[in-house]
Amino acid sequence: MNTEKDTAAFRSQAREALLAAVQGLVLAVVVLPCGVAFLVLTLLSVALIPLGIGLVTTPAILTGVRALADARRRLAAQWCGIHIPAAYRPLPESANPWTRTVALLRDPQVRRDVLWLPVDMTAGFVTALAPAVLVFFPLQGFLVGAGLWRAYVREPGDVYWYGFVPVTGQATALGAAAFGALVLAGTWRFTPRLLTAHFRLTRAVIGASHAALAERVRVLTETRRDAVDTSAAELRRIERDLHDGAQARLVAMGMDLGTIEMLVERDPAQAKRLLAQARRNSAEALAELRDLVRGIHPPVLAERGLGDAVRALALRLPLPTEVTVDLPGRADAPVESAAYFAVSEVLTNAVKHSGADRIRVDVHHTDGRLRIIVTDDGRGGAAAGAGSGLAGIERRLGTFDGVLAVSSPAGGPTMVTLEIPCALS
C-alpha cells in the first residue's frame, strides 16, 4: 500500500516538475523579446514627447506594458497561486493626449511596470529558463548515453563536453548519462520552486507597495467620509426645505381653514376668498413636495432607469439638448442615483455659465464602466478646481471609485466626462 502511495506521489511530483519546466520555457521564449521590445518602444516614445509624437504613442505603449504585466499577474495566480496586487490610478479614456500621458507617467504603478521590464528580461529570463534547464539538461545526458554522442564525436580525437564530462566514446557517453541522472535526481524537486521564484521576483517589482495600498485606503476613507458628509448635508437641506416651504404653506392653510370656519356664515364672500387662497397654498405645497421628492430620487429614475431620467432632464433645459443612450441594462440604484445627480449638476452649470447654444449628452457602458460625456459649444474655461461645482461632482463620483475629466480650452467647446466602474444587470 505504501509502495503505491510512494509511486503516486513520485508521479505527481514528476508531472509538476515537467509542467514547471514547460511553463518556464514558454515564459523564457516570450519574456526576452517582449521585454526588449516594450522597453525600447517606451524609451523612444518618452523621448519623442517634446516633439508631440510621444503624446500619441506613449499612452498606447504604456497600455501595452500594463497588459503584459497583467498577463504575468494572471499566470502567477493560475500557475503558482501567487497574487500580485496592482494599484493603477483610474484614467478617463476621453482625456486629451497630454492629460493621459502625464497621468500615466505620474502613476506609481505604471512606473513600476516600466522598471520591471529590464528586470524581467535579465533576472526574470534566467529564473524562467532555469526550470527547463534542470529538466531538459539531464534528458540530453540520457540521449547522449543512448547514442547521440556519435553526432558530436565523428572523428578520433573529437571531444564533446556534457557539463564537465568529456564524451569521446560509448563509455564516457554512459558516464554523461550517469551525470545527467545525478543532476535530475538532485534537482527535479526544486523545479516548481524555481518557477515560483520567478513570479515572486515579479511580485517584488510590480506588486503594489504597502505605501500604495495605504494611499488607496486613505482615498477610500476620504471618499466615504465625503459621502457621509454629503448625506448629512442632504438631510439638512430636506429638513430646511420642508420647514421653510411645504410645512409653512400647510400651517398657513390650516390657519386659513380655521378663519373660514368662523367666517362661513357671517361673511361668505371673505370665506370664499380664503378658500381660494387655501387651495392655491395646497397646490403650491404639493408642487414643492413633488420637487423635493424629485430632488431625493426622481420617480422616472427608479421606474425607467438612467437613460430616460437623463432624457427627462434634457427636456426641462432651456437649451436644445441631444441625448444618446446605449445601455444594455441597469446599474445598481446608488450608482444610477450618483450618475443622475452628477449629470444634472453638469447640465445646470452648462446652462448657467457656459453661454452655449447646444448641449449633447452621450450615455453608454463599455469595458465595465458607465461613461457619460456632456459636451457644450460654449465659451470654455471650465475647471474642476477647488471651490467649483465640478469639484463637488468629483467627490460624489469618488464614493464609487468614479472619475471626472474636464476638457475646456478657452473658446470652447467644453467636454465633461464622468466614469463609474459598475456592472449592468
Side-chain angles (χ1 to χ4, degrees), residues 45-349:
S45 184
V46 172
L48 292 174
I49 288 177
L51 300 179
I53 301 174
L55 295 177
V56 179
T57 59
T58 300
I61 293 173
L62 292 181
T63 301
V65 173
R66 174 176 175 173
L68 182 65
D70 285 340
R72 196 64 55 85
R73 292 186 182 95
R74 287 193 298 271
L75 292 179
Q78 294 171 4
W79 290 357
C80 295
I82 295 177
H83 175 66
I84 303 177
Y88 293 100
R89 293 176 179 175
L91 180 70
E93 293 185 1
S94 57
N96 61 61
W98 173 256
T99 302
R100 286 179 59 80
T101 301
V102 172
L104 285 169
L105 293 177
R106 286 181 176 176
D107 190 340
Q109 184 64 63
V110 174
R111 292 201 295 268
R112 282 193 291 270
D113 290 349
V114 174
L115 292 176
W116 163 69
L117 292 175
V119 175
D120 193 46
M121 55 190 274
T122 52
F125 175 76
V126 172
T127 53
L129 190 60
V133 170
L134 291 181
V135 170
F136 296 125
F137 178 74
L139 295 180
Q140 183 189 8
F142 299 152
L143 293 175
V144 169
L148 185 63
W149 63 273
R150 293 184 178 86
Y152 302 107
V153 183
R154 297 180 179 179
E155 301 291 338
D158 289 347
V159 178
Y160 171 72
W161 287 90
Y162 174 76
F164 60 84
V165 178
V167 178
T168 57
Q170 185 61 47
T172 51
L174 294 175
F179 175 65
L182 289 175
V183 172
L184 183 62
T187 61
W188 69 278
R189 290 184 179 87
F190 302 103
T191 301
R193 299 179 189 177
L194 287 173
L195 187 64
T196 301
H198 169 85
F199 289 119
R200 285 179 177 169
L201 173 65
T202 302
R203 181 176 61 185
V205 180
I206 67 173
S209 63
H210 291 295
L213 296 176
E215 173 66 13
R216 177 65 174 159
V217 171
R218 185 195 67 79
V219 171
L220 290 175
T221 302
E222 183 177 321
T223 56
R224 299 308 182 265
R225 185 173 60 248
D226 288 341
V228 172
D229 293 342
T230 301
S231 298
E234 190 71 11
L235 288 174
R236 289 193 297 270
R237 181 188 69 81
I238 294 170
E239 182 182 4
R240 184 179 63 252
D241 289 348
L242 285 172
H243 183 272
D244 297 341
Q247 180 180 340
R249 294 187 184 279
L250 291 173
V251 170
M253 187 172 64
M255 296 174 63
D256 289 342
L257 290 174
T259 304
I260 291 168
E261 201 172 17
M262 292 185 295
L263 294 176
V264 69
E265 293 183 357
R266 284 187 305 158
D267 191 351
Q270 180 65 16
K272 287 182 179 180
R273 285 193 294 269
L274 290 177
L275 277 174
Q277 182 176 338
R279 186 171 61 252
R280 288 194 299 272
N281 284 338
S282 67
E284 291 173 357
L286 181 60
E288 288 181 357
L289 287 173
R290 285 174 176 169
D291 290 340
L292 185 62
V293 170
R294 188 180 295 112
I296 297 172
H297 193 73
V300 65
L301 179 62
E303 296 170 4
R304 304 181 62 178
L306 181 61
D308 286 338
V310 172
R311 291 190 180 99
L313 272 178
L315 291 175
R316 295 199 298 268
L317 294 179
L319 297 178
T321 304
E322 180 183 352
V323 179
T324 302
V325 178
D326 182 14
L327 296 177
R330 294 192 60 173
D332 292 338
V335 173
E336 285 192 335
S337 180
Y340 172 84
F341 286 110
V343 173
S344 176
E345 192 162 348
V346 171
L347 292 175
T348 301
N349 289 340

Side-chain angles (χ1 to χ4, degrees), residues 345-393:
E345 192 162 348
V346 171
L347 292 175
T348 301
N349 289 340
V351 171
K352 288 183 178 179
H353 308 299
S354 70
D357 296 323
R358 298 187 64 84
I359 300 176
R360 175 181 172 82
V361 184
D362 181 27
V363 184
H364 62 281
H365 186 272
T366 181
D367 298 330
R369 304 178 76 86
L370 174 65
R371 183 174 295 116
I372 305 173
I373 304 173
V374 181
T375 308
D376 67 67
D377 58 358
R379 65 177 67 94
S388 72
L390 294 176
I393 298 173

